[in-house]
Amino acid sequence: NYYSENYRPQFHFTPEEKWMNDPNGMFYYEGEYHLFYQYYPDSTVWGPMHWGHAVSTDLIHWKHLPVALAPDENGYIFSGSAVVDWENTSGLGEDGLPPLIAIFTYHNPVLEKEGKIDFQTQGIAYSNDKGRTWTKYGEPVLKNPGIRDFRDPKVMWYEESKEWIMTLAVKDHIEFYSSPNLIDWQKEGDFGIDLGAHGGVWECPDLFEMELEGSDEKQWVLLVSINPGGPNGGSATQYFVGDFDGNTFTTEQSDTKWLDYGRDNYAGVTWSDIPKEDGRRLFIGWMSNWSYATVVPTEKWRSANTIPRELVLEIYNDEYILASNPVDELKEIRGEKIELSEQVVSSSVELEMPKIELMCSEMKLNFNLKPDSGDNAPEEFGIVLKNDKGEYFKIGYYHTENKFYTDRSEGGICSFSDNFAGLHTADYKAGETMNIHLFVDKASVEVFVDGGKLVFTDIVFPKESYDKIELFSTNGSVKLFESEVWSLKSVW
Ligand code: FRU
C-alpha cells in the first residue's frame, strides 16, 4: 500500500514524505529525465531548502533518488536550473564526458537575520556520474549587487554568440547575464519593469526559443512566475512572446498573458537538453499556491507537481498564445475505456461510467454549442464531479458572458485557509464546438480547453472521492459527441 494515503496523487509526482515546492534543475541526459525540487526533508512545511531529486525514463514513472544539494555555509539552496555542459566549457568534466552543471540561488539565512539585503547569490554544483552525486563549486559565482530579491537562475546555451545566458528574477524585473564557462558571469540587459503583471514579486523565469506551430517562424518566450498577483489570486505564471538578442528581451505584447488560470500551477519551468529529434518544449509546475500551500490537509507530505505538459506556440485571434497540453506519454497509463454515447444535454444528465474510478481518470469531452433543430445555445453549460456528501467540483462555460470557469467552493475541505475556496474565471470566446480534456487525480483537476489554449489547474480535497459525473446546460442545450473516458493506472 505504497502511496495509498488519503489525497495521495496516483499519477502526479509527489515526494515520498515532507515538504516540496518549485520544480528545479530539469534536464535530460542519457535516456533519463531529471527532476529536482525545493525540498525540506525535516518537516511538512517550508524550511531550509534542499534539492530533492528523482529520475524517469518516460516523464510519468519516477524513481526517487537521495537529496542532491543540501544547505551549506553559503546558505539554503533555492530554485534554479541545470544543463549538460556538452563542450566542457566549465572545465569541470572528467574522462572526456560532459559535466552536468546545476545553477541555483544561495539564500543566506545568517545575513538575512542580521538585516542585510545582499543575502541571495548564485552558486553552481557539478556531477560527473549521471547526476547521482553533486559537488559544490564553492564560493558563489554571481554576487549580490545589493538587492533583496535576486534569484532563480535559469540557464541556457545561446548558439548565436556561443555562450551561456542566465535569466534571473530580480524583484520586479528580469536580468540577463552571460558567461563563456558557467563560472564567470557578466550583466547584459533588463526586462519588464513596466510590462506584464506586477501585483507581487517576480520569480522562477524561463527563456527559450520556439517555432510557431505549423511554420518555421521562430519566437522567443519568457515565462515569469509572480507571487501574489495571479489572475484568480495568489501565485501564477505569466508569459511574454518576443525577441531575445543575446543582451535583452523585447516584446510588442501589451497585455498580460497567463499560462494557467487555475490557482495551482506555480514556478513551472521547462526541461533543458531535450534531444533535437524530440524537439518538444516540456514543462512541469508546482501544483500549489503560496496562499495556502503550507496548510493543505495532507499528512505525510505536502504538494504535488502538475502533469508534465508540452508547450506549443500558436496564433489565436491574431495573437501569439502559448498552449499547454498533456504529454503523450500519459497515454501509457490509460486503462479501462468508455466511449460516451452522443446525446443532447438540455438540463442535467448523469453519465453512466461503470468501472471508471473518477478520481484517477482522463476524459475528452466534445460539446457542440449549436445543437440541432432550433434549440437555443445554452446560457451556461458544463461538467460536475460530485459525491453523495453534497461536495462537487464544477467546470463550466458562461456562454453569454464568454467566460470559462472552475469552481471548487463546494469541492470539499476548504476550512484550512480563507483563500482556498473559490470560483476561477478566464475570458474565453468559444467557437461552435468546445473540447474539454480533463485529468482528475485524488486531489486535483487539470482542465485543458480546445487543445490547451486555456488551462485551469486546481487542487481539491473532497471528504469522500467524487464518484459521479453530471453534464448540465441551462436555458438551451449542448450536444455531447465523440467523447471518451479512461481510468488511469497508478504510477507508484
Ligand atoms: C518560488 C520561490 C523561489 C525561491 C523558492 C524558495 O516559489 O519563492 O523564488 O527560490 O521558492 O523555496
Side-chain angles (χ1 to χ4, degrees):
N1 49 5
Y2 184 60
Y3 270 48
S4 61
E5 305 92 339
N6 207 11
Y7 300 129
R8 179 69 96 166
Q10 295 301 297
F11 59 91
H12 286 86
F13 180 81
T14 49
E16 282 178 301
E17 53 171 20
K18 309 304 179 186
W19 170 267
M20 171 175 84
N21 56 292
D22 316 355
N24 293 149
M26 294 107 73
F27 67 91
Y28 177 87
Y29 182 62
E30 296 268 303
E32 290 178 324
Y33 295 93
H34 288 256
L35 169 67
F36 301 83
Y37 50 91
Q38 288 288 278
Y39 187 48
Y40 184 34
D42 296 329
S43 172
T44 51
V45 293
W46 192 90
M49 284 288 112
H50 298 56
W51 275 26
H53 189 193
V55 286
S56 171
T57 54
D58 64 2
L59 291 162
I60 310 296
H61 300 85
W62 293 96
K63 187 171 143 208
H64 294 292
L65 293 178
V67 161
L69 296 168
D72 60 38
E73 67 283 358
N74 291 306
Y76 304 159
I77 315 295
F78 271 23
S79 287
S81 51
V83 294
V84 183
D85 181 11
W86 292 105
E87 305 290 327
N88 193 20
T89 60
S90 61
L92 296 168
E94 281 169 11
D95 307 328
L97 291 172
L100 307 171
I101 312 279
I103 310 96
F104 51 84
T105 297
Y106 274 124
H107 175 102
N108 189 322
V110 180
L111 296 179
E112 185 184 20
K113 271 204 202 85
E114 286 171 3
K116 302 266 177 21
I117 56 167
D118 57 352
F119 50 83
Q120 295 187 340
T121 56
Q122 319 314 321
I124 66 172
Y126 57 96
S127 168
N128 285 305
D129 59 359
K130 296 178 84 183
R132 275 17 185 212
T133 59
W134 294 81
T135 308
K136 299 219 190 78
Y137 182 73
E139 282 305 293
V141 293
L142 179 57
K143 302 240 155 46
N144 186 299
I147 182 149
R148 271 189 85 85
D149 298 291
F150 189 72
R151 60 178 177 268
D152 308 340
K154 181 72 162 78
V155 172
M156 60 154 200
W157 177 251
Y158 184 64
E159 189 56 37
E160 270 80 336
S161 59
K162 301 223 177 309
E163 59 188 356
W164 300 97
I165 296 291
M166 177 195 292
T167 304
L168 197 69
V170 185
K171 191 180 168 193
D172 54 1
H173 67 283
I174 297 297
E175 293 187 1
F176 300 101
Y177 290 79
S178 65
S179 171
N181 57 9
L182 295 158
I183 297 166
D184 304 301
W185 292 95
Q186 177 190 319
K187 170 93 193 282
E188 299 288 341
D190 302 278
F191 170 79
I193 212 114
D194 48 9
L195 280 170
H198 283 277
V201 67
W202 283 23
E203 300 183 317
C204 299
D206 194 359
L207 174 71
F208 44 87
E209 196 179 29
M210 285 190 95
E211 255 178 26
L212 181 67
E213 187 69 355
S215 88
D216 50 16
E217 175 188 331
K218 287 187 170 167
Q219 294 290 333
W220 285 85
V221 175
L222 178 66
L223 304 182
V224 179
S225 280
I226 175 173
N227 176 49
N232 285 297
S235 358
T237 303
Q238 58 183 323
Y239 66 90
F240 302 88
V241 180
D243 187 38
F244 180 73
D245 64 1
N247 171 258
T248 197
F249 181 87
T250 48
T251 179
E252 286 164 20
Q253 180 183 324
S254 51
D255 58 332
T256 301
K257 295 182 188 289
W258 300 100
L259 196 64
D260 197 309
Y261 283 84
R263 298 275 294 286
D264 300 291
N265 179 2
Y266 192 60
V269 287
T270 65
W271 260 271
S272 181
D273 296 286
I274 295 297
K276 280 227 170 59
E277 317 83 79
D278 179 323
R280 291 177 297 174
R281 187 43 69 173
L282 299 170
F283 169 97
I284 202 164
W286 175 45
M287 198 160 59
S288 197
N289 188 311
W290 282 116
S291 320
Y292 45 72
T294 58
V295 291
V296 297
T298 55
E299 265 163 36
K300 197 173 157 192
W301 81 99
R302 271 211 181 90
S303 304
N305 283 341
T306 65
I307 51 173
R309 301 168 183 191
E310 180 184 355
L311 303 182
V312 181
L313 187 67
E314 296 175 8
I315 289 196
Y316 183 63
N317 290 337
D318 296 329
E319 285 183 45
Y320 292 112
I321 61 159
L322 194 56
S324 306
N325 279 301
V327 295
D328 271 347
E329 284 87 339
L330 282 157
K331 292 179 182 160
E332 287 170 25
I333 58 167
R334 284 178 177 169
E336 195 81 39
K337 171 177 167 179
I338 293 193
E339 288 181 20
L340 299 172
S341 48
E342 187 170 300
Q343 53 192 289
V344 173
V345 182
S346 33
S347 54
S348 81
V349 51
E350 195 174 308
L351 296 177
E352 291 301 321
M353 299 204 303
K355 296 196 230 154
I356 300 284
E357 195 192 329
L358 202 55
M359 292 203 83
C360 193
S361 70
E362 175 187 355
M363 289 173 228
K364 275 190 164 174
L365 305 181
N366 285 302
F367 295 93
N368 192 327
L369 280 60
K370 280 232 172 79
D372 321 324
S373 67
D375 274 7
N376 291 328
E379 269 172 22
E380 181 188 348
F381 75 94
I383 305 161
V384 186
L385 311 172
K386 59 183 195 173
N387 63 24
D388 289 332
K389 278 197 142 31
E391 296 171 331
Y392 60 88
F393 186 96
K394 208 166 159 186
I395 299 149
Y397 184 61
Y398 298 126
H399 197 192
T400 33
E401 291 171 44
N402 296 321
K403 267 191 203 314
F404 196 94
Y405 70 84
T406 58
D407 184 5
R408 67 177 176 199
S409 0
E410 302 295 334
I413 304 175
C414 293
S415 55
F416 53 87
S417 163
D418 289 345
N419 298 319
F420 188 76
L423 173 83
H424 312 138
T425 65
D427 291 335
Y428 187 68
K429 184 130 182 54
E432 248 179 52
T433 62
M434 186 183 280
N435 174 273
I436 302 184
H437 192 179
L438 292 180
F439 282 80
V440 187
D441 203 340
K442 298 293 172 189
S444 62
V445 182
E446 284 157 285
V447 186
F448 302 88
V449 184
D450 290 339
K453 289 187 183 55
L454 185 68
V455 185
F456 284 74
T457 303
D458 288 307
I459 55 175
V460 65
F461 301 95
K463 293 199 188 90
E464 260 169 35
S465 285
Y466 304 136
D467 56 358
K468 294 193 178 55
I469 175 164
E470 193 180 277
L471 306 181
F472 70 94
S473 174
T474 54
N475 292 327
S477 53
V478 278
K479 185 155 83 188
L480 183 76
F481 69 99
E482 288 170 19
S483 296
E484 299 170 306
V485 179
W486 294 264
S487 274
L488 297 181
K489 296 179 211 137
S490 175
V491 304
W492 300 105

